[in-house]
Amino acid sequence: MHFTDFLPETGPVTAEDFTDWLLIADGYDPARQAEVFEKFRAIFRPIFIKHMGTDCVDAGLLYYSPGSSDGPFHPRRWARPGSGPKR
C-alpha cells in the first residue's frame, strides 16, 4: 500500500488526513494504535503547515512531479504495479 492510494485527485486534504494516510500505508492500525496516530499528528501538523502554508489544501497540490503532474514521476503512476516509466 502507498500513501497515494488514499490521495484523491481533488478536494480538501487536512494535515491530519495526510498523516493518517502515511501511517496507514506503513501498516499502522488507527483503531488499535490511536496513540501513535495522535503522536504523529502532533509532529507532522506543523511540518505540513510550514510547507503547504495552511492546514488544509486541495489534493492536487500534494502530487509531485519535477515537470508537471502528467510527468513520468507522478506518484499515482508509481503507486500502481507496472505503472512506472516505460523502458
Side-chain angles (χ1 to χ4, degrees):
M1 189 175 298
H2 192 272
F3 160 78
T4 55
D5 292 335
F6 300 99
L7 187 62
E9 290 187 25
T10 62
V13 174
T14 67
E16 289 78 14
D17 293 333
F18 184 84
T19 302
D20 289 356
W21 296 336
L22 289 173
L23 292 171
I24 294 168
D26 259 0
Y28 289 91
D29 180 352
R32 293 187 347 203
Q33 298 171 299
E35 69 284 347
V36 172
F37 281 75
E38 290 304 316
K39 177 182 175 182
F40 278 93
R41 285 176 187 150
I43 292 169
F44 284 116
R45 187 172 197 279
I47 296 168
F48 185 95
I49 292 171
K50 179 182 176 183
H51 288 280
M52 302 309 293
T54 183
D55 67 347
C56 185
V57 298
D58 186 84
L61 294 175
L62 299 174
Y63 286 92
Y64 168 77
S65 174
S68 72
S69 62
D70 293 326
F73 298 104
H74 194 275
R76 240 195 227 297
R77 290 186 182 160
W78 283 94
R80 309 255 187 295
S83 60
K86 306 290 184 225
R87 296 181 184 199

